Amino acid sequence: MKKFSFHSLRTNMTVFLLAFLLLLISVISYNNYAAFSLLRKNVYANTMDTLTLYQKHLDERLTQTRTYLLATSSIDSNGLLNTLSTSTIHDTEWFSALYRLDGNFDTALSTYTANCFFCYLPNQNQFIQSYDVNASEANLLKETLVSRILSEDVPLGQWFLCSAGDSYYFSYVLYIRNTYVGSWISMERLLNTVSGSSQSNNAFYFATDEGELLRDGQESLFVTAPAEKKSPYASELVEEARVLSVFHSLEEADLCLTVLVPESDLTDHYYSMANAILLVLISILLAWLAMYLFLTRRVVEPISALTKGITELRSGNLSAYVPLQKQPDELLHMTQAFNDMVAEIKDLKIDAYERKLRHQRLETQFLKQQITPHFMINCLNTAYQLTETNHPDLARKMLKNLSSHLRYTLSSGQTVALSEEIALLKNYIELSGIRYPGCISLFLSCPDELLNATAIPLLLLTFVENTIKYEVSMGELLEIHVEITEHAGLLTFCLWDTGNGFSPKFLEKLQDLDTYVDTEDYHIGIVNVVLRARYVYKDSAFSFTNRPGAGAQITMTLPYLPYNGNPKGGTS
């Protein structure tokens, strides 16, 4: 019996794989749910876009008919309507005006979307109409309209809904000089102008604000009113079928154009993925089982054998031997190395010089990696601000320079040409000037013969970056001076600014630089520059003061060494 342990590799691997499996299944389930929700929202959005187009189409039809009636009435001050209302009924002038008006209405029927144009003379009790439907339907609707006109139950100057028999009609009536002029359009005909062009299974209706769907020849349907729906994407049961109802109000009439999208149109797409999802889940389970068996055989068992050998070695058995078995090359090498170590452990010696050199390399890489994120974050933040202020070209330029900077700071070399450091410094000042327009001015002095001197990466940029971070104020000009000279084989870098300078407390700390480097945790940039300079150059010196009449001043002295690479950049 193997001893069970919660901290064993086998237990941890099993728990991890189970957690990963559950997470994967959860992600697939959530993705499936999210996909269906997104599908429903997309169907709703597409349907709403279609309804918007159809609504505009219907409103345009109604507007054209209404405009025609308004135009006919407004230009008829002494025309046909006036003649019909003032002439003696059935005389020659009356019949002539009737004939001309009937011709105008017939022409309008072929031009506008309408079932009938009519003129009603209440004083003569004459209803003049021109229609393209059967006479019984026209007579029935005529009686309805005349009854409502006489009872003053007609909303003049707007489209309203009226019914005749088991059909609904959009009606429009104007009152001009004792004469009523109007038109009606059957709901079925108006709906056919949009539903006839639809290639889907969706059903189109006109609906009231209360959710009543109007139908000719059938009882009205009722759905949840738009104002009462908790979610516009929720479906409901209508006539034993689940549908998604989408509403869009008409501008010309107090109704909504409504479409019912069958739930089956949504679920068909969903269920078509069910088999594929099931196959994916089965495949994942089989892959998980295969992975578990593989890791147990190829990883857990070899590591357990190696652990047993290490335990024997710790107990003092220098003859401990781990048998080589079928396992990954890495574990095979580890097992072989362990066996070799056991065989030669008494003769093993560690070279102190190599250990010290390895430690120095690790320390240098650590220091460099502390610098890189700090500078990279600042640059990326600047790039973000440039894109926000519509300066994509400057952002691309900055990112290109950042790429070059990271390439050489993360390389194995510890030094760069001074010209490269100056080029980066100028670029940083230019980018900072974009963030603080008119607030930063760089004064750089460096002889051309010093451009090929050896420098450490970010030697100048670290201090200039700190100056800008703590000293720049909007509306005030900050001058940054960089003076580079060479004398007796030594390079001197003098950086000073016109800011507020170091605080007395901070300046006091900097005077004891060794103690500051060993204990400082906040101004990590200064510590990094000092440590890297001391590592690359044995003879390096730093001085921190406040310049009389100006701000902070930093003086660095390094040995002058020509750089082996080709110099880049320059100064002016």
Side-chain angles (χ1 to χ4, degrees), residues 294 297-299 301-302 323-329 331-332:
F294 174 81
R297 181 68 181 273
R298 299 298 299 274
V299 178
E301 291 180 356
L324 301 178
Q325 53 184 309
K326 190 176 182 180
Q327 54 189 290
D329 291 342
L331 290 176
L332 185 63

Side-chain angles (χ1 to χ4, degrees), residues 168-418:
Y168 293 93
Y169 297 86
F170 286 82
S171 302
Y172 189 88
V173 178
L174 290 174
Y175 182 69
I176 306 294
R177 291 177 296 278
N178 299 322
T179 304
Y180 291 92
V181 180
S183 174
W184 69 68
I185 308 171
S186 68
M187 185 179 68
E188 179 182 5
R189 178 171 183 174
L190 199 57
L191 276 178
N192 285 339
T193 63
V194 295
S195 60
S197 61
S198 175
Q199 302 299 319
S200 66
N201 297 323
N202 301 340
F204 290 87
Y205 299 93
F206 286 111
T208 64
D209 292 338
E210 291 75 25
E212 179 183 3
L213 306 182
L214 307 177
R215 300 189 298 178
D216 288 342
Q218 304 179 60
E219 293 183 358
S220 299
L221 292 177
F222 288 90
V223 296
T224 304
E228 299 176 0
K229 295 184 69 172
K230 295 182 179 180
S231 171
Y233 316 115
S235 60
E236 57 186 308
L237 192 64
V238 177
E239 289 190 329
E240 300 182 356
R242 297 203 67 83
V243 295
L244 172 64
S245 56
V246 186
F247 299 82
H248 201 295
S249 300
L250 295 176
E251 295 179 358
E252 286 288 335
D254 191 18
L255 291 171
C256 296
L257 179 61
T258 306
V259 62
L260 300 183
V261 182
E263 183 78 8
S264 58
D265 288 358
L266 304 177
T267 56
D268 285 346
H269 296 286
Y270 175 75
Y271 289 126
S272 64
M273 299 184 296
N275 292 333
I277 294 173
L278 181 60
L279 290 176
V280 169
L281 290 176
I282 294 175
S283 300
I284 289 174
L285 290 173
L286 293 176
W288 181 89
L289 181 60
M291 182 183 300
Y292 179 82
L293 295 176
F294 174 81
L295 291 177
T296 300
R297 181 68 181 273
R298 299 298 299 274
V299 178
V300 175
E301 291 180 356
I303 290 180
S304 297
L306 184 59
T307 302
K308 179 180 179 182
I310 294 174
T311 302
E312 292 180 0
L313 180 63
R314 291 179 62 187
S315 65
N317 181 13
L318 297 181
S319 300
Y321 176 80
V322 179
L324 301 178
Q325 53 184 309
K326 190 176 182 180
Q327 54 189 290
D329 291 342
E330 292 80 4
L331 290 176
L332 185 63
H333 293 322
M334 290 175 59
T335 304
Q336 185 63 55
F338 173 80
N339 291 335
D340 294 341
M341 181 187 66
V342 172
E344 302 176 5
I345 193 169
K346 293 182 180 180
D347 301 326
L348 182 64
K349 293 183 179 180
I350 300 175
D351 192 312
Y353 175 78
E354 290 294 331
R355 185 174 66 248
K356 181 179 179 181
L357 183 60
R358 189 182 305 112
H359 174 73
Q360 289 177 334
R361 286 179 183 152
L362 292 175
E363 181 181 13
T364 302
Q365 292 298 324
F366 172 71
L367 293 172
K368 286 172 62 180
Q369 290 178 7
Q370 283 182 307
I371 286 289
T372 300
H374 181 222
F375 178 74
M376 182 174 66
I377 291 171
N378 286 338
C379 289
L380 292 177
N381 185 48
T382 302
Y384 172 78
Q385 294 178 359
L386 289 174
T387 57
E388 286 290 292
T389 55
N390 294 323
H391 293 88
D393 293 338
L394 290 177
R396 285 193 291 269
K397 178 181 177 183
M398 185 278 297
L399 291 174
K400 181 179 179 182
N401 290 338
L402 175 61
S403 176
S404 300
H405 169 77
L406 293 177
R407 186 177 297 112
Y408 78 74
T409 55
L410 295 177
S411 65
S412 59
Q414 308 299 322
T415 60
V416 294
L418 179 58

